[in-house]
Amino acid sequence: MASLDTKLVNVLGDRTAKALETGIGAKTVMDLLRHYPRRYEVRGELTDISTLKPNDDVTILAEIFSVNVRPLHGRKGTILEVVVTDGSAKLSLTFFNQAWRERDLRVGRQGLFAGKVGEFNNKRQLAHPDYELITDGADVDSAVDQFAGKFLPVYSATGKLPSWKLAQCIALAVEALDDIPDFLPERIRLNHRYPTLREALTWLHNPTDLSQAESARQRLTFDEAFLLQLLLAQRKDQLRKLSATARPARLGGLLEAFDLSLPFQLTQGQREVGVEIESDLAQSHPMHRLLQGEVGSGKTVLAIRAMLAVVDSGGQAALLAPTEVLAQQHLRTLKKLLGPLGEGGMLGGSDHATQVTLITGSQSAVSRRESNALAASGDAGIVIGTHALLSESVAFHDLGLVVVDEQHRFGVEQRDGLKAKAQFPPHLLVMTATPIPRTVAMTIFGDLDVSTLRELPLGRQPITTHVIASLEKPAHLSRAWARIREEVALGHQAYVVAPRISASSPTDADMEFLFGNASQELTSVEELAPMLHAGPLSGLRVAILHGQLNSDEKEKTMSAFAYGEIDVLVSTTVIEVGVDVPNATMMIIMDADRFGVSQLHQLRGRVGRGDAAGLCLLVTTAEPESSARIRLEAVAASNDGFELSRIDLEQRREGDVLGVSQSGTRSHLRLLRVLRDESLIDLARKDAQDLVQSDPLLSHHPDLIQELKKISADESVDYIDKG
Ligand code: ADP
Ligand code: MG
């Protein structure tokens, strides 16, 4: 008898075990049983041979009429052809290299034969059918009952392991299975009326009917969600037990002065989230919060308020931004919004003022030394930076809060690297403008508290988006350039986005990954800008921006654009995230089909940030009705980031949704689909939280601890840390 941890060698023998290890990476009985069927084939009611149609899955009762083995034409091997008849017609069954079946398949014997009807040389046939011969004198009716109406698992075959071979091995393993412990707490199992683990595994691989298979699948899917949520709940519980310095907001400090000087009223949502953040910061355990919100919903202000609260109570805050363009912009915004409050130590600075400094990879050595010193002494209450913030030379006097903007651009190590620069666990606020569906958030960011900003500030006009098919309607593209001229004439500004920097530069890896190789000629910034300048946009102030410019050039261009000294910015996706120039009202995206749905939504979020309406044109050469075109139409039809991110996620494979490493064949998420299994994840999360609350160390559930250990050991769970 076998347990789930028994090595396959001991159940199936050496050769088969080896084949299974190379084929599907299975070493133990559990590994093998986790190779779930893709679907089931039903051996249906008996069919007359005369009515068979190609591609039907059929079961017939027939008598063997002739048997014939011959060598394969021009190749090694034999073919066994068995012709059967049911009186209504004849049908041929073929087996390759299985001449040994001749011993059983003798003329005159009756049997049941099942398979998919194929056609060869205009003759219908079944290749490698399942069959069961009926022993002479046996009860034909009961043989039929047993054979037909059965649900046969179909497995994804790999290499040398066809589905039927896998089915055989799995059936043997299921048969050998002893009484096995069930890690799912019985109370939870009974509550959901799930089968035991043993039943579930047996039913999934060998159901008597589809409802059995379904209930097995439910249970095993629940297991996946439950274990994951349990890990997250435990992690959250541990975080809650860490101690951090409480940073309660102080009356009469920077935060209050900032609120008074704000040129606008906070939205209802901003106020609510602001309160959540402030009360988190006032706790003596670290805040661990994700702020997600629609593009342009005003997350930056909330980050600034959180940072000021921390500065007010004597600590420092670091703001990590994914690009230099964005880091520079944050510095400009802060300086503008803080005014004298941000000029601490300087003449004319306010009494309780602080200093804001910027650390990036490409600043000069002198200015870098200056910034480092301000951070280390604590004179800079707020330190903004790119990845450079993580370098060893950067130290803080008392880092109390880490804010990560556009967190999806960073890995866990980077976030943790910055956190490690604090003496005590700092508070953490991560922000993302790619709103994701709730269950995905719960799964990826399960150990974070989530705040969501759904509304845009009052007075925003919706962005209108159109798709322009530049091949079918070239006139529309000319019209698009003319529209830019009109916007500029009204005193507004525009972006033109292209997928690559120069004719020779590759597109970015993400795009290759999503859309395959970029063999098609793609528009480049360096080619497009002079063309526009000499042609349709002549006389306008056109500038270019991309990642390969040095930091001075980037800063100069971006701030010139922000101050309205540039009319049209021709750029790569470096402006995708965060860039905020409210006077820009129009965007044209070239080769828009090269970008993902959420990415397009992010990009166009650069316009329509002020009180004038925004216009975004998606230019494409993709065929009408192509999936690329449909994707673009979807973006044009909706301004709802949540809906679009769902569309985006639905197009990815599950591993990519969760960011699981691609090699994760051993990943324990096999059945769970975070978009589809929303209610199941809800249930599992609730159960997991209740359990951790009553028994944080799971001391009453040793089997569960074992099971969690197995998952944690699996390297592919790093997605859990994505927060
Ligand atoms: P995102 O959430 O995409 O990061 P930002 O924080 O950059 O958005 O804010 C977008 C713009 O909206 C900025 O110009 C900001 O100053 C402005 N803004 C933020 N909150 C409000 C508000 N309550 N009323 C009006 N404008 C606001
Ligand atoms: Mg932002």
Side-chain angles (χ1 to χ4, degrees):
M1 292 305 267
S3 79
L4 289 176
D5 296 322
T6 305
K7 295 255 181 298
L8 286 174
V9 200
N10 303 326
V11 184
L12 300 167
D14 242 0
R15 255 190 45 194
T16 313
K18 200 156 269 150
L20 287 168
E21 185 168 352
T22 32
I24 58 171
K27 290 189 187 124
T28 64
V29 168
M30 193 60 200
D31 296 342
L32 179 60
L33 297 189
R34 290 276 190 230
H35 195 73
Y36 297 135
R38 262 190 310 134
R39 58 188 173 87
Y40 302 90
E41 229 155 53
V42 189
R43 282 200 205 125
E45 302 291 299
L46 297 184
T47 325
D48 280 352
I49 294 179
S50 57
T51 65
L52 299 186
K53 287 189 298 298
N55 285 325
D56 283 353
D57 282 309
V58 298
T59 305
I60 54 167
L61 175 63
E63 190 176 302
I64 298 180
F65 179 79
S66 68
V67 179
N68 170 18
V69 180
R70 56 188 153 79
L72 266 174
H73 215 63
R75 270 193 298 153
K76 249 175 56 183
T78 58
I79 184 161
L80 166 65
E81 183 179 25
V82 177
V83 177
V84 298
T85 174
D86 63 355
S88 76
K90 280 187 203 150
L91 178 69
S92 111
L93 318 176
T94 52
F95 300 88
F96 295 97
N97 287 335
Q98 296 189 352
W100 52 270
R101 294 193 186 274
E102 208 184 352
R103 261 177 301 162
D104 294 328
L105 298 167
R106 288 191 311 271
V107 173
R109 291 197 69 176
Q110 259 201 338
L112 290 149
F113 304 90
K116 194 191 241 358
V117 180
E119 242 176 337
F120 187 70
N121 283 344
N122 269 332
K123 256 174 34 190
R124 287 164 310 166
Q125 64 160 24
L126 300 179
H128 286 248
D130 259 347
Y131 61 87
E132 187 143 319
L133 297 171
I134 298 167
T135 15
D136 288 335
D139 177 355
V140 174
D141 284 346
S142 80
V144 170
D145 277 353
Q146 269 190 21
F147 184 80
K150 239 188 132 171
F151 293 83
L152 301 167
V154 178
Y155 298 95
S156 342
T158 33
K160 293 211 174 82
L161 291 167
S163 172
W164 62 268
K165 177 75 189 167
L166 280 164
Q168 235 174 32
C169 296
I170 290 171
L172 284 172
V174 170
E175 228 165 82
L177 210 55
D178 228 332
D179 249 355
I180 49 168
D182 191 340
F183 55 82
L184 191 63
E186 185 159 32
R187 196 177 42 76
I188 296 179
R189 185 175 69 76
L190 294 175
N191 201 9
H192 297 299
R193 302 205 172 83
Y194 288 143
T196 62
L197 181 57
R198 192 183 173 181
E199 281 169 331
L201 289 170
T202 314
W203 291 358
L204 195 70
H205 290 292
N206 186 18
T208 50
D209 55 43
L210 285 183
S211 73
Q212 251 190 9
E214 178 52 28
S215 103
R217 189 172 288 273
Q218 285 275 340
R219 146 85 209 236
L220 296 169
T221 311
F222 179 86
D223 284 358
E224 293 180 4
F226 179 66
L227 292 170
L228 187 54
Q229 292 299 333
L230 205 53
L231 277 177
L232 294 167
Q234 276 191 311
R235 185 158 318 179
K236 203 161 169 179
D237 183 64
Q238 284 155 11
L239 275 171
R240 214 171 280 137
K241 288 175 181 153
L242 286 178
S243 56
T245 313
R247 314 277 182 179
R250 196 164 46 82
L251 285 180
L254 281 166
L255 179 55
E256 200 178 292
F258 175 79
D259 281 346
L260 288 173
S261 70
L262 261 185
F264 44 72
Q265 290 239 308
L266 294 181
T267 63
Q268 176 71 21
Q270 281 173 321
R271 276 201 299 275
E272 284 166 13
V273 175
V275 169
E276 282 172 346
I277 293 175
E278 267 166 63
S279 75
D280 279 1
L281 290 172
Q283 307 283 323
S284 50
H285 57 80
M287 167 167 82
H288 209 59
R289 187 170 287 279
L290 169 73
L291 170 54
Q292 62 168 345
E294 189 56 90
V295 212
S297 57
K299 293 180 290 292
T300 316
V301 175
L302 291 176
I304 296 176
R305 293 188 75 254
M307 294 194 288
L308 292 177
V310 169
V311 175
D312 274 341
S313 62
Q316 287 172 286
L319 171 58
L320 181 63
T323 63
E324 197 164 349
V325 167
L326 194 50
Q328 288 166 342
Q329 171 185 286
H330 279 321
L331 181 71
R332 275 198 308 272
T333 309
L334 263 167
K335 289 208 152 146
K336 193 173 89 196
L337 286 174
L338 287 179
L341 296 173
E343 291 167 8
M346 272 173 240
L347 227 55
S350 140
D351 282 350
H352 38 231
T354 186
Q355 285 190 56
V356 186
T357 193
L358 178 70
I359 295 184
T360 71
S362 45
Q363 74 194 127
S364 72
V366 178
S367 94
R368 174 61 177 273
R369 258 198 307 278
E370 224 168 81
S371 305
N372 280 358
L374 286 173
S377 67
D379 285 345
I382 297 179
V383 181
I384 302 172
T386 56
H387 293 82
L389 272 185
L390 304 168
S391 72
E392 248 172 70
S393 62
V394 178
F396 294 86
H397 175 65
D398 178 15
L399 181 57
L401 168 68
V402 167
V403 181
V404 182
D405 195 12
E406 307 296 344
Q407 76 81 37
H408 57 286
R409 296 299 190 89
F410 295 98
V412 204
E413 318 75 47
Q414 292 163 324
R415 183 190 83 197
D416 287 351
L418 191 48
K419 274 164 70 178
K421 292 183 185 288
Q423 286 150 303
F424 301 105
H427 298 283
L428 174 72
L429 177 65
V430 302
M431 307 199 289
T432 177
T434 304
I436 50 177
R438 207 174 53 90
T439 44
V440 181
M442 258 159 43
T443 311
I444 307 179
F445 303 116
D447 57 346
L448 290 163
D449 297 308
V450 180
S451 301
T452 304
L453 282 182
R454 283 176 189 277
E455 57 183 331
L456 299 179
L458 220 65
R460 287 283 169 79
Q461 307 243 19
I463 305 170
T464 312
T465 306
H466 296 292
V467 178
I468 294 193
S470 56
L471 291 181
E472 298 148 49
K473 309 239 165 85
H476 287 196
L477 187 56
S478 322
R479 174 81 193 105
W481 304 126
R483 278 290 282 123
I484 288 194
R485 301 192 74 97
E486 290 164 24
E487 282 303 310
V488 172
L490 290 171
H492 295 146
Q493 293 160 278
Y495 299 95
V496 179
V497 178
R500 60 166 97 191
I501 298 176
S502 66
S504 58
S505 61
T507 53
D508 77 52
D510 271 2
M511 285 198 262
E512 302 281 327
F513 168 70
L514 275 170
F515 308 115
N517 230 334
S519 53
Q520 170 200 355
E521 282 298 308
L522 294 177
T523 316
S524 80
V525 168
E526 287 183 349
E527 292 168 300
L528 183 63
M531 253 165 52
L532 293 176
H533 193 61
L537 302 184
S538 68
L540 304 191
R541 294 168 298 175
V542 177
I544 64 172
L545 185 70
H546 57 72
Q548 279 172 15
L549 298 176
N550 71 36
S551 88
D552 266 2
E553 292 171 308
K554 273 186 238 170
E555 164 62 21
K556 256 197 218 125
T557 306
M558 229 18 252
S559 59
F561 189 67
Y563 290 120
E565 293 156 11
I566 291 170
D567 300 315
V568 181
L569 192 61
V570 183
S571 165
T572 58
T573 54
V574 287
I575 55 141
E576 173 184 343
V577 291
V579 166
D580 184 43
V581 178
N583 191 47
T585 49
M586 184 171 168
M587 175 177 283
I588 298 185
I589 305 178
M590 305 303 290
D591 295 311
D593 49 287
R594 306 305 294 182
F595 303 100
V597 170
S598 291
Q599 204 180 5
L600 289 168
H601 183 60
Q602 282 290 308
L603 274 170
R604 85 175 147 186
R606 301 310 117 216
V607 300
R609 303 193 134 230
D611 33 28
L615 173 65
C616 176
L617 303 177
L618 307 174
V619 179
T620 179
T621 54
E623 308 274 328
E625 309 298 319
S626 64
S627 67
R629 267 293 264 287
I630 292 168
R631 212 170 53 230
L632 295 182
E633 297 293 351
V635 175
S638 171
N639 269 322
D640 180 342
F642 282 92
E643 190 189 324
L644 292 172
S645 97
R646 180 172 270 272
I647 294 175
D648 205 0
L649 291 169
E650 274 164 4
Q651 293 179 344
R652 292 167 191 255
R653 283 166 304 170
E654 195 65 9
D656 303 327
V657 172
L658 294 180
V660 180
S661 72
Q662 309 251 325
S663 62
T665 45
R666 283 169 54 83
S667 158
H668 91 291
L669 295 190
R670 304 203 163 199
L671 299 171
L672 190 69
R673 296 288 173 272
V674 279
L675 291 174
R676 182 196 62 195
D677 297 321
E678 184 159 353
S679 55
L680 199 73
I681 294 175
D682 271 335
L683 290 177
R685 180 175 171 89
K686 172 118 202 349
D687 286 337
Q689 284 171 342
D690 289 350
L691 188 60
V692 169
Q693 186 155 32
S694 65
D695 182 6
L697 298 175
L698 303 177
S699 35
H700 299 299
H701 302 278
D703 292 334
L704 209 43
I705 295 180
Q706 280 308 314
E707 201 60 28
L708 288 175
K709 271 203 191 121
K710 281 186 218 160
I711 306 181
S712 309
D714 182 343
E715 76 260 283
S716 61
V717 292
D718 56 4
Y719 58 81
I720 293 170
D721 283 323
K722 266 295 159 66

